[in-house]
Amino acid sequence: MAAARSTVDVLLERESRQCDVHGTPSPSRLNAAWRHKVVGWYFTLIAALRRQHAAAAEGGEGNDANPFNRQSVHVTASLLDNYLMSLPAEKALRYKHDRPAYQLLATTCLLLGMRLAQHDQIKAAKQREAEREAADSADQPHGLKRAKTHKQNMNEAAAPSITPPVTTHVAIPNAATILRISAAPKSISEQHILSMVREMTGSRAFPRSKVVTSLDFVQALSASNTRVNEDCSIALGLTDVEEASRLADAALRNVAFSGSRPSVIASAAITLALMRSSSISLCMSSIREKVQQSIYGDEIDSALQAFIMQAESNLLGSIRVRAPPSRPVVTAHLIPLEDE
């Protein structure tokens, strides 16, 4: 419980700094239709890369920093939105009406998003290893001990040494590979993307630390099973973590959530996930209260509560508009900005 609270507090602090840098964006600066299609393309392409990597790595250890997951999509969408929000009005208008320019930006964000997500995975793995070593060191006896007799040593089996798993890096596709597997328009070249990478990484909107997403808050509350803790906070089992993450994915596609605090989206997603869960028997108001307490602590102002309730309403609208596909998409598709 204390560990989860500490993790959430760190996320809230990072979220605050993240919002200070980017300000309060306006979704009206975004092309809602294009963004919706591009986020769908992100999920499709990441899923294709994940299947490709799983087939290539079959039989391996499986302990790698794999960026082919939904977290990469959330980081990528954050890069896309924040970059557009940071631009001067005239330049931002170009990306709202110039389709090739938007396609180029969207593709560049995907490359950068996968790299940032992988960097965060590697950093988190190193931190876990450092914590494990610190815990092992604390368990070791200190000071001089009486030496064991030869007979004692013979009767005791040597403790097996446990080698911690080594985190390996998954090779992220380069610009040329992404263009090839996504059948990108000929107007987009590898050089165009590399130039856009330099422009984005040099802008004030580019993150200098971990990009906090709604998924981070969901994972911070994950546990072996869903329950209400002694301090009245909520813990999420694997099934409810997946459902809350799926709802966060749905929010990502809706331009109305652009610029919303990740913690607000997470609070709404977790509340709705628990409302559908068979693991907990509470009314919606009690669930909402405990979820908000789990994320924000005992003190939460009325304005923030109103934002969360609005997010719940918007999220319900999002999941009613389009049901998830009944079968997985087999391959990646053309960057989907063509008129339907």
Side-chain angles (χ1 to χ4, degrees):
M1 291 181 288
R5 181 69 262 165
S6 176
T7 301
V8 171
D9 286 342
V10 170
L11 289 173
L12 287 172
E13 183 181 349
R14 289 175 174 172
E15 178 189 66
S16 179
R17 293 200 301 266
Q18 192 169 292
C19 293
D20 287 343
V21 171
H22 301 131
T24 305
S26 170
S28 64
R29 302 188 77 186
L30 306 176
N31 186 312
W34 289 2
R35 185 186 178 284
H36 179 86
K37 292 179 181 180
V38 159
V39 170
W41 174 68
Y42 286 157
F43 278 111
T44 299
L45 190 54
I46 287 292
L49 290 170
R50 182 171 60 249
R51 290 191 296 272
Q52 186 181 62
H53 171 70
E58 189 173 354
E61 293 295 328
N63 186 50
D64 50 24
N66 187 345
F68 308 139
N69 52 46
R70 55 166 41 110
Q71 179 69 12
S72 285
V73 179
H74 283 252
V75 171
T76 297
S78 177
L79 290 179
L80 177 64
D81 290 344
N82 290 330
Y83 179 75
L84 289 173
M85 300 297 186
S86 71
L87 294 175
E90 290 185 3
K91 191 170 183 179
L93 192 62
R94 176 195 176 197
Y95 288 104
K96 194 172 181 179
H97 300 288
D98 187 335
R99 179 174 296 164
Y102 190 85
Q103 289 176 317
L104 172 61
L105 176 61
T107 306
T108 304
C109 287
L110 178 61
L111 286 173
L112 292 173
M114 286 190 291
R115 281 168 169 74
L116 288 177
Q118 185 181 60
H119 175 268
D120 290 341
Q121 286 179 327
I122 295 170
K123 188 174 180 180
K126 289 180 178 178
Q127 182 177 350
R128 288 193 298 270
E129 175 60 19
E131 291 172 353
R132 186 192 68 80
E133 290 179 353
D136 290 345
S137 177
D139 291 338
Q140 294 297 323
H142 297 284
L144 295 175
K145 300 293 182 180
R146 181 175 60 86
K148 294 181 178 179
T149 65
H150 178 68
K151 182 177 180 180
Q152 285 176 318
N153 286 332
M154 289 183 63
N155 291 336
E156 291 182 3
S161 60
I162 301 175
T163 303
V166 178
T167 301
T168 57
H169 299 195
V170 173
I172 297 176
N174 58 23
T177 303
I178 291 291
L179 292 175
R180 176 178 54 79
I181 65 178
S182 63
K186 293 181 179 180
S187 60
I188 302 179
S189 70
E190 184 178 4
Q191 290 305 315
H192 287 140
I193 291 180
L194 295 178
S195 176
M196 193 73 216
V197 166
R198 289 190 291 271
E199 181 178 333
M200 286 194 66
T201 53
S203 74
R204 68 179 181 86
F206 193 75
R208 309 303 173 191
S209 59
K210 174 181 170 57
V211 177
V212 177
T213 72
S214 56
L215 296 180
D216 291 314
F217 288 95
V218 174
Q219 286 297 327
L221 300 182
S222 63
S224 57
N225 61 291
T226 298
R227 62 182 184 273
V228 179
N229 295 316
E230 293 178 0
D231 61 355
C232 294
S233 63
I234 289 288
L236 300 174
L238 294 179
T239 300
D240 293 319
V241 165
E242 175 59 29
E243 177 64 10
S245 299
R246 189 186 70 81
L247 291 170
D249 291 347
L252 196 66
R253 297 171 183 264
N254 189 338
V255 73
F257 289 100
S258 298
S260 297
R261 290 174 58 176
S263 60
V264 168
I265 298 173
S267 184
I270 294 170
T271 298
L272 295 180
L274 291 177
M275 277 298 299
R276 301 174 170 204
S277 175
S278 59
S279 303
I280 196 168
S281 299
L282 294 172
C283 65
M284 186 164 187
S285 60
S286 294
I287 291 176
R288 182 183 291 119
E289 179 184 355
K290 295 185 185 304
V291 170
Q292 292 177 10
Q293 181 178 347
S294 301
I295 294 178
Y296 300 105
D298 295 327
E299 297 183 4
I300 176 172
D301 59 63
S302 57
L304 186 56
Q305 289 177 324
F307 281 130
I308 294 172
M309 292 188 67
Q310 183 60 53
E312 291 173 12
S313 177
N314 290 342
L315 189 50
L316 280 172
S318 296
I319 60 180
R320 287 170 179 165
V321 169
R322 175 177 290 187
S326 57
R327 58 186 177 85
V329 182
V330 176
T331 185
H333 293 294
L334 181 71
I335 299 176
L337 295 185
E338 292 73 17
D339 292 328
E340 295 181 348

